[in-house]
Amino acid sequence: MTTEAPTRRHALRLAGGATAAGIAATTAALPAEAMPKSRRVSFRPGRYPPTRVLRAPARHLVNRFSYGITPALAAEVQAAGGHLAWFDRQLATAYDGSADNLCDWWPDLHRDAVDLWSRTQGGVRGGWEVMWDYGNRTMMRRMTSPRQVLEVMTEFWENHFHVATNSDNIFVFRIEYGEMVRAHALGRFDDLLQATVLHPAMLMFLGAATSTKAHPNENLGRELLELHTVGIGNYGEEDVKNSARILTGNRVDLYKTWAASYVPKDHWTGPVQVMGFQHDNADQDGRAVTAAYLSYLAHHPATARRIATKLVRAFVSDTVPASLVDRLAAVYLANDTAIVPVLKALVRSPEFKSAVDKKVRDADEDVLATYRILGVGVKKPRTDASAANQVYWQTAMIGLAPLTWPRPDGQPVDNASWSSPSRALASMSFHWDMVNGWWPGDAVAFPRPRSWMPRARPMEFRDLVDHLSRRLLQRPSSKALLKACCQAAEIRPDTRVSRSSAVFTKVWPRVVATVLDSPAFYQR
């Protein structure tokens, strides 16, 4: 047996390459010097059925609508009577208040706009620090919440109605905005649209907080059409101008009282037409026309198709089947813009069922799934170095801190955006830190290597790899994965290991990192 540690790059080639795109596995064998020449090596995958896994359709749905399948979550799915029953139960009980106060460890997140601004101006705490707290709490909620579907859909809508947390002084309203989106995440799109577009955070982000009848700011009026509802190609420039005119009157007293109000004298009056919507708009108080206009957009067939398209791209495939979009748009309109019936139809569609492993985990999901499936326990933070204060930074190191995408269109959800070599290398580095328990190192509990051994008596290494694959990937091991793990551990697949074996005392991080760096981990 060679004494030189194998490179992780070689081991990953054996596993099929660790790019997020999930390149097909190679058939490369172990180096000749790594095994005795007198013994032929069989890389027949082991089988350890006592470690149960969800069947492929269940793994597929739960992976798409959670942040990593833990043994506890798998048991919950089975106890519910299957993945569809679990999903329906999550939809029915998602916003019942039971997950509201999870990891509520950052007191600044409960301060109002005036207090936050005053503390920033007084040098007590900067707005960017408050938003960092918000990012950490967002990640911790996703990591720990029993309402996984709620957190997933909150992320979806915060991305659709994107308000960047690092936008200038948005921090005074961004926490409240996120809570509002969460409360509407599984309700009616009409209600969500009304609440988001007129929220102070959105008004500030897109320049409508100071829009007046004399000088209507067109940013929000345009993005409302282009990004939030009907999409490009369904409106013209005059529609944008009238959209902006309708929205005038909604104001925020910036840098003073921070009060959000409606100011009738700032509302533009006169006939308006946006696509098929017409109104005489004669009343100086334009709130009624605004509500009617937003409801018109929410119920527009083009909006139905746009929402259906975005849901399919996020949860089914980058290649959006037009037939599925048509069916989901019809469900949306038939149910008065309610989201839950659309989601139920989506996960029961043949297109969804045939899209197993077709999506790639982004940086958020990578970090969260790693914490969850490794069983890393995060405790209440004590210092800046505590895990709960580092998880957001860890995500940023892979490619993008959540909620910070600078443009109003929300961060990309397509595979290509998260399949670069630099992302793969950043993920490998993160996984290596985590399996070694190196970072974060405060207010966190990492599982001990020997705790992964499923039973006291010795077992073949190939069966241990299968156990790991089932625990971490929710699927039996493959020949390619076994080869890679043998290379990483410098061990034969038929070697018998126990809790006292060198596998657990010397090379365990290499084995676990090889599993996490395999293509199957990046797939969801």
Side-chain angles (χ1 to χ4, degrees):
M1 190 77 70
T2 179
T3 58
E4 182 181 353
T7 65
R8 295 181 69 214
R9 180 180 299 175
H10 185 78
L12 292 167
R13 278 203 300 270
L14 292 173
T19 66
I23 300 171
T26 67
T27 57
L30 289 174
E33 68 272 15
M35 295 291 164
K37 295 182 179 180
S38 60
R39 298 176 62 188
R40 186 173 182 178
V41 179
S42 169
F43 289 102
R44 171 184 53 81
R47 287 293 177 263
Y48 192 73
T51 303
R52 299 179 63 186
V53 296
L54 296 176
R55 297 181 65 181
R59 184 190 75 226
H60 171 48
L61 183 146
V62 182
N63 256 339
R64 295 285 169 92
F65 286 93
S66 77
Y67 292 99
I69 305 175
T70 64
L73 180 54
E76 180 183 314
V77 172
Q78 292 163 344
H83 56 292
L84 293 175
W86 171 83
F87 187 69
D88 290 349
R89 182 179 297 179
Q90 285 270 312
L91 293 175
T93 60
Y95 199 75
D96 61 357
S98 63
D100 287 358
N101 297 319
L102 289 172
C103 309
D104 196 11
W105 297 328
W106 295 273
D108 282 356
L109 302 185
H110 295 283
R111 300 182 187 276
D112 63 21
V114 174
D115 194 10
L116 288 171
W117 180 249
S118 175
R119 286 166 59 84
T120 296
Q121 291 300 98
V124 178
R125 200 144 190 266
W128 71 269
E129 294 175 288
V130 176
M131 287 296 89
W132 207 260
D133 288 350
Y134 180 69
N136 280 317
R137 189 183 70 176
T138 297
M139 292 293 287
M140 290 306 304
R141 271 182 169 173
R142 295 175 185 175
M143 187 189 301
T144 62
S145 177
R147 305 295 184 231
Q148 287 286 287
V149 176
L150 170 63
E151 303 306 333
V152 168
M153 290 308 300
T154 298
E155 179 184 4
F156 176 84
W157 291 121
E158 278 197 271
N159 202 42
H160 180 76
F161 293 105
H162 180 55
V163 173
T165 55
N166 53 356
S167 180
D168 189 30
N169 295 321
I170 209 74
F171 72 95
V172 296
F173 287 116
R174 187 57 179 81
I175 303 156
E176 176 190 304
Y177 179 80
E179 291 301 290
M180 178 275 300
V181 172
R182 194 164 178 267
H184 288 85
L186 290 167
R188 294 170 64 248
F189 182 79
D190 192 344
D191 297 332
L192 177 61
L193 182 66
Q194 303 266 357
T196 52
V197 171
L198 302 179
H199 193 278
M202 183 67 78
L203 296 175
M204 288 176 61
F205 184 54
L206 293 180
T210 56
S211 183
T212 66
K213 63 182 179 183
H215 302 286
N217 187 308
E218 294 182 4
N219 283 355
L220 180 56
R222 182 182 300 277
E223 303 304 3
L224 170 61
L225 296 170
E226 178 180 333
L227 300 178
H228 302 154
T229 58
V230 296
I232 293 175
N234 291 293
Y235 60 89
E237 283 303 305
E238 193 60 30
D239 294 319
V240 171
K241 292 177 181 178
N242 280 322
S243 181
R245 290 165 179 158
I246 291 171
L247 296 174
T248 53
N250 295 282
R251 301 296 300 274
V252 179
D253 188 22
L254 303 177
Y255 311 112
K256 297 176 183 176
T257 66
W258 294 100
S261 63
Y262 191 85
V263 182
K265 68 181 181 63
D266 285 332
H267 177 62
W268 189 94
T269 55
V272 289
Q273 178 174 350
V274 180
M275 300 182 298
F277 178 81
Q278 298 182 52
H279 201 284
D280 59 11
N281 188 34
D283 193 338
Q284 199 165 35
D285 187 334
R287 281 176 284 192
V289 65
T290 299
Y293 171 53
L294 293 176
S295 187
Y296 163 80
L297 291 177
H299 289 82
H300 197 284
T303 299
R305 289 189 56 81
R306 179 164 177 76
I307 298 304
T309 299
K310 292 197 72 171
L311 286 168
V312 170
R313 185 171 288 117
F315 297 113
V316 181
S317 171
D318 288 1
T319 304
V320 179
S323 58
L324 178 57
V325 170
D326 291 340
R327 298 198 308 274
L328 294 182
V331 172
Y332 170 93
L333 294 172
N335 287 276
D336 193 27
T337 78
I339 300 303
V340 166
V342 180
L343 293 176
K344 287 184 176 181
L346 184 152
V347 301
R348 287 168 169 82
S349 69
E351 292 90 345
F352 179 80
K353 295 175 183 177
S354 64
V356 177
D357 295 339
K358 294 293 179 64
K359 292 293 291 182
V360 169
R361 281 183 168 135
D362 62 17
D364 313 32
E365 295 162 340
D366 188 337
V367 170
L368 292 165
T370 300
Y371 270 86
R372 283 171 60 84
I373 67 178
L374 286 180
V376 178
V378 180
K379 305 173 185 178
K380 183 176 180 178
R382 300 176 300 192
T383 69
D384 288 344
S386 295
N389 284 327
Q390 290 293 310
V391 63
Y392 196 59
W393 177 249
Q394 287 177 298
T395 312
M397 293 293 287
I398 293 181
L400 181 70
L403 311 173
T404 62
W405 181 256
R407 301 187 325 217
D409 57 345
Q411 74 177 49
V413 298
D414 62 298
N415 289 353
S417 296
W418 296 102
S419 300
S420 67
S422 61
R423 179 268 161 93
L425 291 171
S427 288
M428 292 180 206
S429 179
F430 164 69
H431 297 158
W432 189 239
D433 285 341
M434 291 295 290
V435 298
N436 280 284
W438 289 341
W439 179 44
D442 181 61
V444 64
F446 291 95
R448 295 180 178 179
R450 290 186 179 88
S451 69
W452 289 86
M453 187 74 179
R455 58 185 181 183
R457 72 169 188 253
M459 63 192 306
E460 286 193 359
F461 182 69
R462 70 175 82 244
D463 292 331
L464 179 61
V465 171
D466 188 62
H467 163 70
L468 281 177
S469 181
R470 289 166 177 263
R471 274 286 304 273
L472 301 177
L473 307 177
Q474 277 293 309
R475 65 189 80 201
S477 59
S478 65
K479 182 178 181 180
L481 180 62
L482 177 58
K483 283 183 178 181
C485 288
C486 287
Q487 172 68 19
E490 296 186 282
I491 196 172
R492 291 181 60 95
D494 55 359
T495 300
R496 299 190 70 78
V497 297
S498 66
R499 291 180 184 273
S500 60
S501 297
V503 167
F504 294 107
T505 60
K506 296 182 179 180
V507 297
W508 185 246
R510 282 189 278 172
V511 176
V512 179
T514 298
V515 179
L516 290 182
D517 290 337
S518 68
F521 176 80
Y522 293 95
Q523 297 165 341
R524 68 172 183 89

